[in-house]
Amino acid sequence: MKATKIILFFVLMTGMSICLNGQNASTASFEFQAYPTGIIPGISADLKLNKASFFHVRLGANIFDHRDLGVQETEEGSGFGFSLGYRRFFFSDNPRWRWGLKTDLWLNEVDWTNGANTSSPNAGRTEITVLQPTAELAYVWDLGGFILAPNIAFGFEWNVQTDGEPTGDGAILLLGIQVGKKL
């Protein structure tokens, strides 16, 4: 699993570097999303397809604490992954409101416990591959050479591969902010 993560990281970094140096690159950004049990910081690029449409790519980390909301009594973990998506402004002549669709792929490790307050607690680690499709709505402020875009997203987390005991997945609501530099 660690070799897969290293290879995936270098492939994505190379791809993002090529995209950001291409003619169609429009924005390089820092993104941050928060959901009730975690945070997702990352770097991204929105690559211009036409006047109103963009291809979106992100490389990020997923840091979470499901507390007692998961399958196990406690679930804490982290991992890294990437996003691929599409973003489009509602009106190309007045680009303020933007919608998007994206899918994240996360490679996470989860430390979990059951019965922590008993004489025989049970604990372990689970490796999960998470597929997370979401729909996003954002308002974009154009600040000259920069953009600022608060956003809200809704989707689902599916643990598509689990090595160990099952852990929580399901519906997800995310609030976020994108701070970007136009290229």
Side-chain angles (χ1 to χ4, degrees), residues 139-168:
Y139 187 84
V140 181
W141 277 287
D142 186 339
L143 306 172
F146 295 90
I147 65 158
L148 179 66
N151 58 69
I152 186 168
F154 175 76
F156 295 92
E157 294 182 306
W158 282 293
N159 296 344
V160 294
Q161 183 177 347
T162 302
D163 183 12
E165 293 297 315
T167 60

PDB file of all heavy atoms in Angstrom, residues 139-168:
ATOM      1  N   TYR A 139     -19.267  30.822  -4.637  1.00  0.00           N
ATOM      2  CA  TYR A 139     -19.348  32.214  -5.080  1.00  0.00           C
ATOM      3  C   TYR A 139     -17.917  32.701  -5.219  1.00  0.00           C
ATOM      4  O   TYR A 139     -17.132  32.634  -4.262  1.00  0.00           O
ATOM      5  CB  TYR A 139     -20.108  33.081  -4.069  1.00  0.00           C
ATOM      6  CG  TYR A 139     -20.345  34.472  -4.589  1.00  0.00           C
ATOM      7  CD1 TYR A 139     -21.427  34.735  -5.417  1.00  0.00           C
ATOM      8  CD2 TYR A 139     -19.482  35.510  -4.274  1.00  0.00           C
ATOM      9  CE1 TYR A 139     -21.656  36.014  -5.908  1.00  0.00           C
ATOM     10  CE2 TYR A 139     -19.693  36.789  -4.762  1.00  0.00           C
ATOM     11  CZ  TYR A 139     -20.777  37.032  -5.587  1.00  0.00           C
ATOM     12  OH  TYR A 139     -20.996  38.291  -6.085  1.00  0.00           O
ATOM     13  N   VAL A 140     -17.548  33.197  -6.405  1.00  0.00           N
ATOM     14  CA  VAL A 140     -16.160  33.544  -6.711  1.00  0.00           C
ATOM     15  C   VAL A 140     -15.992  35.056  -6.768  1.00  0.00           C
ATOM     16  O   VAL A 140     -16.662  35.732  -7.543  1.00  0.00           O
ATOM     17  CB  VAL A 140     -15.723  32.909  -8.052  1.00  0.00           C
ATOM     18  CG1 VAL A 140     -14.267  33.247  -8.354  1.00  0.00           C
ATOM     19  CG2 VAL A 140     -15.934  31.394  -8.024  1.00  0.00           C
ATOM     20  N   TRP A 141     -15.084  35.568  -5.932  1.00  0.00           N
ATOM     21  CA  TRP A 141     -14.699  36.971  -5.998  1.00  0.00           C
ATOM     22  C   TRP A 141     -13.426  37.072  -6.824  1.00  0.00           C
ATOM     23  O   TRP A 141     -12.438  36.400  -6.533  1.00  0.00           O
ATOM     24  CB  TRP A 141     -14.426  37.546  -4.605  1.00  0.00           C
ATOM     25  CG  TRP A 141     -15.641  37.976  -3.887  1.00  0.00           C
ATOM     26  CD1 TRP A 141     -16.407  39.071  -4.134  1.00  0.00           C
ATOM     27  CD2 TRP A 141     -16.239  37.318  -2.765  1.00  0.00           C
ATOM     28  NE1 TRP A 141     -17.444  39.138  -3.240  1.00  0.00           N
ATOM     29  CE2 TRP A 141     -17.363  38.072  -2.383  1.00  0.00           C
ATOM     30  CE3 TRP A 141     -15.940  36.165  -2.048  1.00  0.00           C
ATOM     31  CZ2 TRP A 141     -18.185  37.732  -1.331  1.00  0.00           C
ATOM     32  CZ3 TRP A 141     -16.745  35.815  -1.001  1.00  0.00           C
ATOM     33  CH2 TRP A 141     -17.857  36.582  -0.649  1.00  0.00           C
ATOM     34  N   ASP A 142     -13.445  37.914  -7.829  1.00  0.00           N
ATOM     35  CA  ASP A 142     -12.266  38.187  -8.652  1.00  0.00           C
ATOM     36  C   ASP A 142     -11.563  39.391  -8.042  1.00  0.00           C
ATOM     37  O   ASP A 142     -12.092  40.503  -8.043  1.00  0.00           O
ATOM     38  CB  ASP A 142     -12.703  38.485 -10.088  1.00  0.00           C
ATOM     39  CG  ASP A 142     -11.514  38.641 -11.025  1.00  0.00           C
ATOM     40  OD1 ASP A 142     -10.386  38.908 -10.551  1.00  0.00           O
ATOM     41  OD2 ASP A 142     -11.724  38.497 -12.238  1.00  0.00           O
ATOM     42  N   LEU A 143     -10.372  39.181  -7.513  1.00  0.00           N
ATOM     43  CA  LEU A 143      -9.615  40.233  -6.826  1.00  0.00           C
ATOM     44  C   LEU A 143      -8.395  40.626  -7.658  1.00  0.00           C
ATOM     45  O   LEU A 143      -7.283  40.682  -7.153  1.00  0.00           O
ATOM     46  CB  LEU A 143      -9.189  39.746  -5.438  1.00  0.00           C
ATOM     47  CG  LEU A 143     -10.313  39.224  -4.548  1.00  0.00           C
ATOM     48  CD1 LEU A 143      -9.758  38.589  -3.285  1.00  0.00           C
ATOM     49  CD2 LEU A 143     -11.285  40.346  -4.209  1.00  0.00           C
ATOM     50  N   GLY A 144      -8.607  40.868  -8.919  1.00  0.00           N
ATOM     51  CA  GLY A 144      -7.491  41.203  -9.807  1.00  0.00           C
ATOM     52  C   GLY A 144      -6.764  39.925 -10.208  1.00  0.00           C
ATOM     53  O   GLY A 144      -7.305  39.105 -10.922  1.00  0.00           O
ATOM     54  N   GLY A 145      -5.559  39.737  -9.736  1.00  0.00           N
ATOM     55  CA  GLY A 145      -4.780  38.545 -10.051  1.00  0.00           C
ATOM     56  C   GLY A 145      -5.085  37.361  -9.155  1.00  0.00           C
ATOM     57  O   GLY A 145      -4.483  36.302  -9.284  1.00  0.00           O
ATOM     58  N   PHE A 146      -6.026  37.525  -8.225  1.00  0.00           N
ATOM     59  CA  PHE A 146      -6.363  36.463  -7.277  1.00  0.00           C
ATOM     60  C   PHE A 146      -7.864  36.190  -7.290  1.00  0.00           C
ATOM     61  O   PHE A 146      -8.648  37.030  -7.736  1.00  0.00           O
ATOM     62  CB  PHE A 146      -5.933  36.862  -5.852  1.00  0.00           C
ATOM     63  CG  PHE A 146      -4.459  36.995  -5.695  1.00  0.00           C
ATOM     64  CD1 PHE A 146      -3.836  38.208  -5.923  1.00  0.00           C
ATOM     65  CD2 PHE A 146      -3.686  35.907  -5.337  1.00  0.00           C
ATOM     66  CE1 PHE A 146      -2.461  38.338  -5.798  1.00  0.00           C
ATOM     67  CE2 PHE A 146      -2.322  36.014  -5.199  1.00  0.00           C
ATOM     68  CZ  PHE A 146      -1.701  37.238  -5.431  1.00  0.00           C
ATOM     69  N   ILE A 147      -8.255  35.041  -6.761  1.00  0.00           N
ATOM     70  CA  ILE A 147      -9.671  34.742  -6.545  1.00  0.00           C
ATOM     71  C   ILE A 147      -9.862  34.262  -5.113  1.00  0.00           C
ATOM     72  O   ILE A 147      -8.942  33.725  -4.494  1.00  0.00           O
ATOM     73  CB  ILE A 147     -10.225  33.667  -7.517  1.00  0.00           C
ATOM     74  CG1 ILE A 147      -9.544  32.314  -7.276  1.00  0.00           C
ATOM     75  CG2 ILE A 147     -10.100  34.111  -8.954  1.00  0.00           C
ATOM     76  CD1 ILE A 147     -10.361  31.153  -7.783  1.00  0.00           C
ATOM     77  N   LEU A 148     -11.049  34.469  -4.609  1.00  0.00           N
ATOM     78  CA  LEU A 148     -11.472  33.976  -3.299  1.00  0.00           C
ATOM     79  C   LEU A 148     -12.849  33.363  -3.507  1.00  0.00           C
ATOM     80  O   LEU A 148     -13.756  34.037  -4.004  1.00  0.00           O
ATOM     81  CB  LEU A 148     -11.532  35.122  -2.290  1.00  0.00           C
ATOM     82  CG  LEU A 148     -11.983  34.761  -0.873  1.00  0.00           C
ATOM     83  CD1 LEU A 148     -10.952  33.850  -0.210  1.00  0.00           C
ATOM     84  CD2 LEU A 148     -12.196  36.026  -0.060  1.00  0.00           C
ATOM     85  N   ALA A 149     -13.007  32.091  -3.154  1.00  0.00           N
ATOM     86  CA  ALA A 149     -14.257  31.391  -3.439  1.00  0.00           C
ATOM     87  C   ALA A 149     -14.697  30.519  -2.264  1.00  0.00           C
ATOM     88  O   ALA A 149     -14.248  29.377  -2.117  1.00  0.00           O
ATOM     89  CB  ALA A 149     -14.109  30.533  -4.696  1.00  0.00           C
ATOM     90  N   PRO A 150     -15.596  31.019  -1.400  1.00  0.00           N
ATOM     91  CA  PRO A 150     -16.209  30.137  -0.400  1.00  0.00           C
ATOM     92  C   PRO A 150     -17.150  29.169  -1.119  1.00  0.00           C
ATOM     93  O   PRO A 150     -17.735  29.498  -2.149  1.00  0.00           O
ATOM     94  CB  PRO A 150     -16.973  31.093   0.512  1.00  0.00           C
ATOM     95  CG  PRO A 150     -17.127  32.348  -0.250  1.00  0.00           C
ATOM     96  CD  PRO A 150     -16.064  32.385  -1.300  1.00  0.00           C
ATOM     97  N   ASN A 151     -17.268  27.956  -0.567  1.00  0.00           N
ATOM     98  CA  ASN A 151     -18.095  26.946  -1.236  1.00  0.00           C
ATOM     99  C   ASN A 151     -18.740  25.997  -0.246  1.00  0.00           C
ATOM    100  O   ASN A 151     -18.328  25.888   0.906  1.00  0.00           O
ATOM    101  CB  ASN A 151     -17.257  26.174  -2.269  1.00  0.00           C
ATOM    102  CG  ASN A 151     -16.052  25.496  -1.652  1.00  0.00           C
ATOM    103  OD1 ASN A 151     -16.179  24.555  -0.894  1.00  0.00           O
ATOM    104  ND2 ASN A 151     -14.866  26.001  -1.964  1.00  0.00           N
ATOM    105  N   ILE A 152     -19.761  25.317  -0.743  1.00  0.00           N
ATOM    106  CA  ILE A 152     -20.438  24.261   0.010  1.00  0.00           C
ATOM    107  C   ILE A 152     -20.562  23.064  -0.929  1.00  0.00           C
ATOM    108  O   ILE A 152     -20.800  23.235  -2.130  1.00  0.00           O
ATOM    109  CB  ILE A 152     -21.811  24.723   0.549  1.00  0.00           C
ATOM    110  CG1 ILE A 152     -22.432  23.652   1.445  1.00  0.00           C
ATOM    111  CG2 ILE A 152     -22.736  25.140  -0.595  1.00  0.00           C
ATOM    112  CD1 ILE A 152     -23.638  24.139   2.242  1.00  0.00           C
ATOM    113  N   ALA A 153     -20.361  21.876  -0.394  1.00  0.00           N
ATOM    114  CA  ALA A 153     -20.427  20.663  -1.212  1.00  0.00           C
ATOM    115  C   ALA A 153     -21.186  19.575  -0.457  1.00  0.00           C
ATOM    116  O   ALA A 153     -21.142  19.502   0.776  1.00  0.00           O
ATOM    117  CB  ALA A 153     -19.021  20.175  -1.571  1.00  0.00           C
ATOM    118  N   PHE A 154     -21.869  18.747  -1.219  1.00  0.00           N
ATOM    119  CA  PHE A 154     -22.596  17.611  -0.653  1.00  0.00           C
ATOM    120  C   PHE A 154     -22.300  16.381  -1.492  1.00  0.00           C
ATOM    121  O   PHE A 154     -22.231  16.459  -2.712  1.00  0.00           O
ATOM    122  CB  PHE A 154     -24.101  17.868  -0.642  1.00  0.00           C
ATOM    123  CG  PHE A 154     -24.896  16.679  -0.171  1.00  0.00           C
ATOM    124  CD1 PHE A 154     -24.943  16.356   1.173  1.00  0.00           C
ATOM    125  CD2 PHE A 154     -25.547  15.866  -1.074  1.00  0.00           C
ATOM    126  CE1 PHE A 154     -25.651  15.246   1.614  1.00  0.00           C
ATOM    127  CE2 PHE A 154     -26.256  14.748  -0.650  1.00  0.00           C
ATOM    128  CZ  PHE A 154     -26.304  14.452   0.703  1.00  0.00           C
ATOM    129  N   GLY A 155     -22.121  15.255  -0.818  1.00  0.00           N
ATOM    130  CA  GLY A 155     -21.848  14.022  -1.555  1.00  0.00           C
ATOM    131  C   GLY A 155     -21.889  12.808  -0.647  1.00  0.00           C
ATOM    132  O   GLY A 155     -22.539  12.824   0.406  1.00  0.00           O
ATOM    133  N   PHE A 156     -21.163  11.784  -1.053  1.00  0.00           N
ATOM    134  CA  PHE A 156     -21.123  10.519  -0.324  1.00  0.00           C
ATOM    135  C   PHE A 156     -19.707  10.000  -0.249  1.00  0.00           C
ATOM    136  O   PHE A 156     -18.916  10.193  -1.175  1.00  0.00           O
ATOM    137  CB  PHE A 156     -22.008   9.475  -1.008  1.00  0.00           C
ATOM    138  CG  PHE A 156     -23.454   9.831  -0.991  1.00  0.00           C
ATOM    139  CD1 PHE A 156     -24.022  10.532  -2.035  1.00  0.00           C
ATOM    140  CD2 PHE A 156     -24.250   9.513   0.094  1.00  0.00           C
ATOM    141  CE1 PHE A 156     -25.355  10.893  -2.019  1.00  0.00           C
ATOM    142  CE2 PHE A 156     -25.582   9.863   0.139  1.00  0.00           C
ATOM    143  CZ  PHE A 156     -26.137  10.554  -0.929  1.00  0.00           C
ATOM    144  N   GLU A 157     -19.386   9.348   0.858  1.00  0.00           N
ATOM    145  CA  GLU A 157     -18.117   8.638   1.027  1.00  0.00           C
ATOM    146  C   GLU A 157     -18.420   7.142   0.949  1.00  0.00           C
ATOM    147  O   GLU A 157     -19.276   6.662   1.691  1.00  0.00           O
ATOM    148  CB  GLU A 157     -17.523   8.876   2.412  1.00  0.00           C
ATOM    149  CG  GLU A 157     -17.089  10.257   2.725  1.00  0.00           C
ATOM    150  CD  GLU A 157     -16.475  10.319   4.115  1.00  0.00           C
ATOM    151  OE1 GLU A 157     -17.126   9.879   5.084  1.00  0.00           O
ATOM    152  OE2 GLU A 157     -15.348  10.786   4.220  1.00  0.00           O
ATOM    153  N   TRP A 158     -17.721   6.451   0.066  1.00  0.00           N
ATOM    154  CA  TRP A 158     -17.846   4.993   0.001  1.00  0.00           C
ATOM    155  C   TRP A 158     -16.485   4.373   0.238  1.00  0.00           C
ATOM    156  O   TRP A 158     -15.524   4.682  -0.466  1.00  0.00           O
ATOM    157  CB  TRP A 158     -18.347   4.526  -1.364  1.00  0.00           C
ATOM    158  CG  TRP A 158     -19.804   4.698  -1.575  1.00  0.00           C
ATOM    159  CD1 TRP A 158     -20.809   4.045  -0.927  1.00  0.00           C
ATOM    160  CD2 TRP A 158     -20.435   5.583  -2.489  1.00  0.00           C
ATOM    161  NE1 TRP A 158     -22.021   4.477  -1.386  1.00  0.00           N
ATOM    162  CE2 TRP A 158     -21.821   5.422  -2.361  1.00  0.00           C
ATOM    163  CE3 TRP A 158     -19.968   6.512  -3.427  1.00  0.00           C
ATOM    164  CZ2 TRP A 158     -22.734   6.137  -3.113  1.00  0.00           C
ATOM    165  CZ3 TRP A 158     -20.873   7.219  -4.172  1.00  0.00           C
ATOM    166  CH2 TRP A 158     -22.240   7.018  -4.007  1.00  0.00           C
ATOM    167  N   ASN A 159     -16.415   3.495   1.220  1.00  0.00           N
ATOM    168  CA  ASN A 159     -15.193   2.727   1.441  1.00  0.00           C
ATOM    169  C   ASN A 159     -15.200   1.588   0.420  1.00  0.00           C
ATOM    170  O   ASN A 159     -15.810   0.554   0.642  1.00  0.00           O
ATOM    171  CB  ASN A 159     -15.157   2.181   2.872  1.00  0.00           C
ATOM    172  CG  ASN A 159     -15.096   3.291   3.899  1.00  0.00           C
ATOM    173  OD1 ASN A 159     -14.795   4.436   3.580  1.00  0.00           O
ATOM    174  ND2 ASN A 159     -15.391   2.968   5.140  1.00  0.00           N
ATOM    175  N   VAL A 160     -14.530   1.807  -0.706  1.00  0.00           N
ATOM    176  CA  VAL A 160     -14.584   0.842  -1.803  1.00  0.00           C
ATOM    177  C   VAL A 160     -13.630  -0.322  -1.594  1.00  0.00           C
ATOM    178  O   VAL A 160     -13.807  -1.375  -2.206  1.00  0.00           O
ATOM    179  CB  VAL A 160     -14.332   1.512  -3.178  1.00  0.00           C
ATOM    180  CG1 VAL A 160     -15.455   2.477  -3.507  1.00  0.00           C
ATOM    181  CG2 VAL A 160     -12.987   2.207  -3.221  1.00  0.00           C
ATOM    182  N   GLN A 161     -12.614  -0.141  -0.747  1.00  0.00           N
ATOM    183  CA  GLN A 161     -11.717  -1.235  -0.395  1.00  0.00           C
ATOM    184  C   GLN A 161     -11.351  -1.088   1.074  1.00  0.00           C
ATOM    185  O   GLN A 161     -10.974  -0.002   1.519  1.00  0.00           O
ATOM    186  CB  GLN A 161     -10.458  -1.213  -1.258  1.00  0.00           C
ATOM    187  CG  GLN A 161      -9.528  -2.377  -0.962  1.00  0.00           C
ATOM    188  CD  GLN A 161      -8.314  -2.368  -1.884  1.00  0.00           C
ATOM    189  OE1 GLN A 161      -8.269  -1.664  -2.872  1.00  0.00           O
ATOM    190  NE2 GLN A 161      -7.326  -3.166  -1.540  1.00  0.00           N
ATOM    191  N   THR A 162     -11.481  -2.179   1.824  1.00  0.00           N
ATOM    192  CA  THR A 162     -11.207  -2.162   3.262  1.00  0.00           C
ATOM    193  C   THR A 162     -10.278  -3.306   3.618  1.00  0.00           C
ATOM    194  O   THR A 162     -10.559  -4.461   3.298  1.00  0.00           O
ATOM    195  CB  THR A 162     -12.524  -2.301   4.063  1.00  0.00           C
ATOM    196  OG1 THR A 162     -13.409  -1.239   3.692  1.00  0.00           O
ATOM    197  CG2 THR A 162     -12.277  -2.256   5.559  1.00  0.00           C
ATOM    198  N   ASP A 163      -9.172  -2.978   4.275  1.00  0.00           N
ATOM    199  CA  ASP A 163      -8.241  -3.987   4.775  1.00  0.00           C
ATOM    200  C   ASP A 163      -8.239  -3.857   6.296  1.00  0.00           C
ATOM    201  O   ASP A 163      -7.551  -3.012   6.857  1.00  0.00           O
ATOM    202  CB  ASP A 163      -6.847  -3.764   4.192  1.00  0.00           C
ATOM    203  CG  ASP A 163      -5.856  -4.839   4.625  1.00  0.00           C
ATOM    204  OD1 ASP A 163      -6.285  -5.876   5.177  1.00  0.00           O
ATOM    205  OD2 ASP A 163      -4.647  -4.630   4.426  1.00  0.00           O
ATOM    206  N   GLY A 164      -9.064  -4.653   6.953  1.00  0.00           N
ATOM    207  CA  GLY A 164      -9.250  -4.574   8.394  1.00  0.00           C
ATOM    208  C   GLY A 164     -10.733  -4.499   8.706  1.00  0.00           C
ATOM    209  O   GLY A 164     -11.583  -4.797   7.867  1.00  0.00           O
ATOM    210  N   GLU A 165     -11.045  -4.082   9.910  1.00  0.00           N
ATOM    211  CA  GLU A 165     -12.437  -3.963  10.334  1.00  0.00           C
ATOM    212  C   GLU A 165     -13.128  -2.817   9.594  1.00  0.00           C
ATOM    213  O   GLU A 165     -12.484  -1.832   9.235  1.00  0.00           O
ATOM    214  CB  GLU A 165     -12.519  -3.720  11.843  1.00  0.00           C
ATOM    215  CG  GLU A 165     -12.055  -4.904  12.669  1.00  0.00           C
ATOM    216  CD  GLU A 165     -12.923  -6.137  12.468  1.00  0.00           C
ATOM    217  OE1 GLU A 165     -14.160  -6.009  12.467  1.00  0.00           O
ATOM    218  OE2 GLU A 165     -12.350  -7.225  12.286  1.00  0.00           O
ATOM    219  N   PRO A 166     -14.434  -2.908   9.367  1.00  0.00           N
ATOM    220  CA  PRO A 166     -15.142  -1.823   8.674  1.00  0.00           C
ATOM    221  C   PRO A 166     -15.137  -0.530   9.497  1.00  0.00           C
ATOM    222  O   PRO A 166     -15.100  -0.560  10.728  1.00  0.00           O
ATOM    223  CB  PRO A 166     -16.561  -2.364   8.508  1.00  0.00           C
ATOM    224  CG  PRO A 166     -16.688  -3.488   9.461  1.00  0.00           C
ATOM    225  CD  PRO A 166     -15.310  -4.010   9.739  1.00  0.00           C
ATOM    226  N   THR A 167     -15.148   0.591   8.777  1.00  0.00           N
ATOM    227  CA  THR A 167     -15.209   1.905   9.422  1.00  0.00           C
ATOM    228  C   THR A 167     -16.293   2.731   8.729  1.00  0.00           C
ATOM    229  O   THR A 167     -16.816   2.337   7.694  1.00  0.00           O
ATOM    230  CB  THR A 167     -13.853   2.639   9.343  1.00  0.00           C
ATOM    231  OG1 THR A 167     -13.507   2.820   7.970  1.00  0.00           O
ATOM    232  CG2 THR A 167     -12.762   1.862  10.063  1.00  0.00           C
ATOM    233  N   GLY A 168     -16.603   3.882   9.302  1.00  0.00           N
ATOM    234  CA  GLY A 168     -17.726   4.690   8.840  1.00  0.00           C
ATOM    235  C   GLY A 168     -17.592   5.251   7.435  1.00  0.00           C
ATOM    236  O   GLY A 168     -16.514   5.607   6.994  1.00  0.00           O
TER     237      GLY A 168
END
